[in-house]
Amino acid sequence: MNKYLELIELSLIEGATKIVLNEDDERVVEKQYLDFINAALSGQSELVLRDCLAHQTLRINAIDELTSEKIVQSLEENVRQFLMCSREDENSLRQLVVLIVAVSCLQLFVQNNWVGSTAELDAISLLCPNCSSLQEERLLEFASDFLSVDGEPIYPICNSPLFLAVSRILFSNCGQYLPRCKTTDFWSLRCCQIHQMLLNERSPSLKSTVLELIASVSGSELFGSGQISRQTMMQFHLEAGHHLYFYYEDVKAREHFDIAKKLSGLNIELRGALGKRTKFQEKDISQLVLHVERSAETPLEVEKHTALGISSLPKNVALNDEQILDDIQFKDQDSVNIVQMTATDQAMILGLCALYRKTHEGQGKIVQEESLAFINCVLRQPCNWCVQTKALLMRAKWETETSRQMQRSLSQLEELVSQFNRLDVSGCLRMQLVYSVALPPKWLTERHLGNILMEAGATASALEIYLRLQMWEDVIKCNIILGHRNEAEKLIRKQIGLTSLPHFCVQE
C-alpha cells in the first residue's frame, strides 16, 4: 500500500495530468478515495476541494470567535480528528488526503494569481460556508496577517490569499501528522516560493525555512531510493536553484542547476555558426548560437507533461524590423544542432540563462547576445505554457536597445498580459512546470509592461497600470515625472499613514 501511495505522490509532484487510476485500483484504494485522488492527479484542484473528504479537514464552522490562533488550532484539530482511524492502511490513505488538500489549496492559489485561469470556488465559503459578513472580513484579515513575514505585508490585491494561508498551515503546522507522506517537504518548498513572491522584500525567515527544506528534501529517503524519475529530480534541483539564486546564494544555485544539467544528459555550449542577421546581408558571418547535444548514455525520456499546440501557447511577437531578421538565418541548419528537448530540459536552459546573466552583469553587450542565444534556443521548440511565457518575458525585459526592439517588447508584454484573460487552455495545463521556471505572478508581468512604457516615455499609460495594480511607489514616480508633485505628496502622506514601511520619499 505505502509503495502504491508513493507513486501517487510522485505523480502529483511531476504534475503529469495523463496519469489516472482505474477500476482495478479499487483493490488498493477504496471507492470513496478513488475519485478524490483521480481529481488531484488530473489537476482539478477545485473539484478536490469541493469533495466531502476535503471538507472534513477544512470546515471551521464551530468557532464562535475567528481569532488567528483559533483558526490555526481548528485546522490542526480537524486534521488530528480526520487521521484518527483504527486501520493502518486507511490511515495512510487519510494522510495522503490531507497532503492532497494542502497541495490543492496551493495549486488553486497559484492558478488564480499566476496563470490567469481564475477558479469559481471561494476560500471563505469553503472554510466557513455560513459565516457572517463580519466573519468573512475576519478571515481575510487573518490571511493577510498570517502571510505577513518579518514585518513585510503581502501584495494587497492578490486573489484568495486564504488558500495560501491554509496551505501553509497544513504543510508547516500539520506536516508532523503525515509521517507516511514522502513529499510534504517538497511541496512545502514550493509553498515558500509562492509565499516569497507575495512580498516586496526578501524575507530572512523564509530564506531560513527554504534552506532547511532544500537540505531535508535532498537527504530524504525517497530521493535516495532510486524511484524518482530523472525529470522529477531535475524539477527539484531547478526549484532549489531558483530559490538560492533569488536569495543571492549564487554558488549553491549553480550547484543545483549543474546537477539538473547533468541529469538532463544535455551538452550545452555557446558556439559560432555562419549565418545572416539582417535582411540585406549578402555575406554569411559568424553568429552566436547555443549548441545542444544529448549524451548517448542519457536517452530522451518520454514527456510526461501534456504538450500544447502553438495556438494554445503565448504568441511569439515578430520583430517586424525593416533591416533585422526575426531569427538568424543560418547557412547550414545542420550546423545548428538542437536536439529534441522536453519541457523540463527547456526550463533548465532558462535557469542557466538567468543565473549566467546575473553573475555576469556589467560585462557589456556580449552578455546580452549570449542570453538571447539561450532564450532563442528554447523559443525554437515551443511546447509548454509556463516555459514559453517565461522565455518571452525574459526576452521582453532584456531586449530594449533599439526603437524596434522596444516596440516588440511592448507588444510582447501586452500579449502576455492579455493571455491571462483567455480561457483557451485549462488552468491545470498552464500550471505544468510553474515552479521549475519560477514564473512571476500576473501583477509583476503587468508591472514590467508599465516599466517598459516608462522607458518609452509613455508615463501617463504606465501610471494607469500602476494605479490599477496599487503599485504606489511607481505611481509616485510617475506623478513626479508628469509634474504632479502635489498629487505625489498627498499619496505619500496617505501611505505613510497606512504603513510603517520606509518606502516613500519625494525626489527633488
Side-chain angles (χ1 to χ4, degrees):
M1 165 66 86
N2 287 341
K3 292 295 183 183
Y4 187 84
L5 298 184
E6 284 179 11
L7 292 176
I8 295 175
E9 283 193 63
L10 291 176
S11 297
L12 285 172
I13 282 286
E14 291 171 354
T17 57
K18 297 177 182 178
I19 301 171
V20 293
L21 306 184
N22 54 47
E23 294 180 358
D24 293 337
D25 293 297
E26 287 189 40
R27 293 173 299 176
V28 184
V29 179
E30 294 182 24
K31 176 62 177 174
Q32 64 170 322
Y33 298 103
L34 196 63
D35 293 340
F36 180 85
I37 294 173
N38 262 333
L41 290 174
S42 58
Q44 299 181 68
S45 300
E46 190 170 354
L47 188 59
V48 168
L49 295 178
R50 291 184 186 278
D51 193 283
C52 62
L53 286 170
H55 295 170
Q56 293 179 57
T57 62
L58 296 177
R59 290 288 164 87
I60 54 174
N61 287 339
I63 299 180
D64 295 325
E65 185 179 357
L66 289 174
T67 64
S68 295
E69 184 179 357
K70 288 186 177 180
I71 292 171
V72 174
Q73 288 177 349
S74 177
L75 288 170
E76 288 185 31
E77 182 60 26
N78 285 353
V79 171
R80 283 195 294 267
Q81 291 293 329
F82 182 71
L83 295 176
M84 288 177 62
C85 52
S86 56
R87 286 171 37 212
E88 182 178 351
D89 57 345
E90 187 176 1
N91 185 268
S92 297
L93 268 172
R94 290 195 165 213
Q95 288 185 33
L96 178 63
V97 166
V98 174
L99 177 68
I100 287 175
V101 170
V103 168
S104 297
C105 287
L106 172 62
Q107 296 286 79
L108 207 57
F109 178 77
V110 175
Q111 180 179 318
N112 286 344
N113 293 279
W114 262 250
V115 303
S117 180
T118 305
E120 296 180 1
L121 182 63
D122 177 60
I124 294 176
S125 62
L126 179 66
L127 266 68
C128 191
N130 300 314
C131 64
S132 64
S133 57
L134 183 63
Q135 288 175 316
E136 286 185 15
E137 184 178 337
R138 181 65 200 109
L139 283 170
L140 291 175
E141 290 176 358
F142 159 73
S144 181
D145 294 343
F146 182 82
L147 294 173
S148 298
V149 185
D150 299 328
E152 185 74 22
I154 62 172
Y155 180 61
I157 56 174
C158 62
N159 191 321
S160 302
L162 191 55
F163 279 126
L164 182 63
V166 170
S167 181
R168 284 231 64 186
I169 292 169
L170 294 179
F171 284 129
S172 303
N173 297 49
C174 303
Q176 59 184 314
Y177 307 129
L178 312 176
R180 293 189 178 91
C181 293
K182 306 300 182 183
T183 60
T184 306
D185 285 347
F186 200 152
W187 279 108
S188 187
L189 185 63
R190 290 177 167 181
C191 195
C192 287
Q193 182 191 68
I194 299 305
H195 191 175
Q196 174 62 75
M197 289 188 186
L198 298 185
L199 308 176
N200 205 35
E201 302 291 340
R202 289 165 175 80
S203 164
S205 298
L206 279 177
K207 178 182 178 180
S208 177
T209 302
V210 162
L211 294 177
E212 291 176 4
L213 288 170
I214 289 174
S216 174
V217 176
S218 298
S220 66
E221 177 185 346
L222 188 61
F223 262 58
S225 65
Q227 297 180 31
I228 300 181
S229 70
R230 194 165 70 236
Q231 289 188 43
T232 305
M233 292 284 286
M234 285 179 65
Q235 286 184 50
F236 164 69
H237 287 292
L238 290 174
E239 292 165 29
H242 280 295
H243 273 292
L244 295 165
Y245 159 86
F246 181 81
Y247 290 119
Y248 303 120
E249 299 283 351
D250 294 345
V251 175
K252 293 180 180 178
R254 165 63 68 179
E255 292 174 359
H256 282 280
F257 283 129
D258 283 344
I259 293 173
K261 178 183 173 183
K262 183 178 180 181
L263 287 167
S264 73
L266 295 179
N267 299 315
I268 301 170
E269 182 183 9
L270 286 166
R271 289 185 183 179
L274 292 176
K276 297 183 177 70
R277 176 165 291 190
T278 67
K279 295 179 180 179
F280 306 108
Q281 186 176 336
E282 296 181 357
K283 184 180 178 181
D284 293 302
I285 61 175
S286 183
Q287 307 288 345
L288 194 62
V289 66
L290 192 70
H291 185 83
V292 181
E293 292 181 332
R294 188 174 300 279
S295 170
E297 293 81 18
T298 313
L300 178 68
E301 276 194 352
V302 175
E303 178 63 84
K304 295 186 178 182
H305 300 99
T306 303
L308 298 177
I310 295 294
S311 61
S312 301
L313 296 172
K315 179 184 176 183
N316 184 352
V317 175
L319 185 59
N320 290 329
D321 192 279
E322 295 177 356
Q323 296 183 0
I324 301 175
L325 295 166
D326 278 349
D327 199 0
I328 299 170
Q329 182 180 330
F330 293 101
K331 181 178 180 180
D332 181 9
Q333 288 294 334
D334 292 336
S335 66
V336 187
N337 188 14
I338 302 179
V339 299
Q340 183 65 35
M341 294 181 288
T342 66
T344 314
D345 294 335
Q346 294 179 336
M348 178 268 298
I349 288 177
L350 291 182
L352 289 173
C353 175
L355 182 64
Y356 179 81
R357 188 176 179 90
K358 181 183 177 184
T359 54
H360 291 78
E361 284 181 325
Q363 295 191 13
K365 190 174 180 180
I366 184 62
V367 177
Q368 173 89 341
E369 294 295 326
E370 290 169 341
S371 301
L372 291 176
F374 278 81
I375 292 172
N376 289 332
C377 172
V378 170
L379 292 177
R380 290 186 185 111
Q381 294 186 24
C383 66
N384 176 275
W385 193 91
C386 283
V387 171
Q388 181 85 347
T389 298
K390 183 62 179 287
L392 292 172
L393 178 59
M394 291 167 73
R395 188 185 68 183
K397 289 168 61 179
W398 297 340
E399 194 181 51
T400 57
E401 291 185 352
T402 67
S403 59
R404 187 63 71 180
Q405 288 176 338
M406 179 79 76
Q407 182 59 49
R408 203 249 291 263
S409 292
L410 281 171
S411 299
Q412 188 65 74
L413 285 167
E414 287 172 352
E415 160 65 20
L416 293 178
V417 169
S418 67
Q419 72 170 338
F420 294 133
N421 298 321
R422 294 201 292 265
L423 302 177
D424 52 346
V425 182
S426 68
C428 62
L429 290 179
R430 287 185 175 188
M431 289 279 292
Q432 293 174 354
L433 295 179
V434 64
Y435 307 103
S436 298
V437 298
L439 191 71
K442 292 188 293 185
W443 57 85
L444 288 186
T445 301
E446 291 192 66
R447 187 185 190 185
H448 290 316
L449 174 59
N451 294 344
I452 299 294
L453 286 168
M454 284 276 286
E455 288 185 40
T459 308
S461 297
L463 177 59
E464 292 180 10
I465 293 174
Y466 296 143
L467 280 169
R468 186 176 70 254
L469 299 177
Q470 298 186 17
M471 303 284 188
W472 302 123
E473 292 177 69
D474 296 316
V475 169
I476 291 167
K477 291 176 184 176
C478 287
N479 278 318
I480 293 173
I481 292 172
L482 292 170
H484 305 158
R485 297 183 69 85
N486 289 337
E487 292 293 327
E489 182 179 350
K490 289 178 184 178
L491 184 55
I492 290 170
R493 295 187 184 281
K494 179 180 179 182
Q495 291 303 311
I496 288 175
L498 294 175
T499 177
S500 61
L501 297 175
H503 290 161
F504 303 100
C505 63
V506 176
Q507 299 176 358
E508 296 295 338

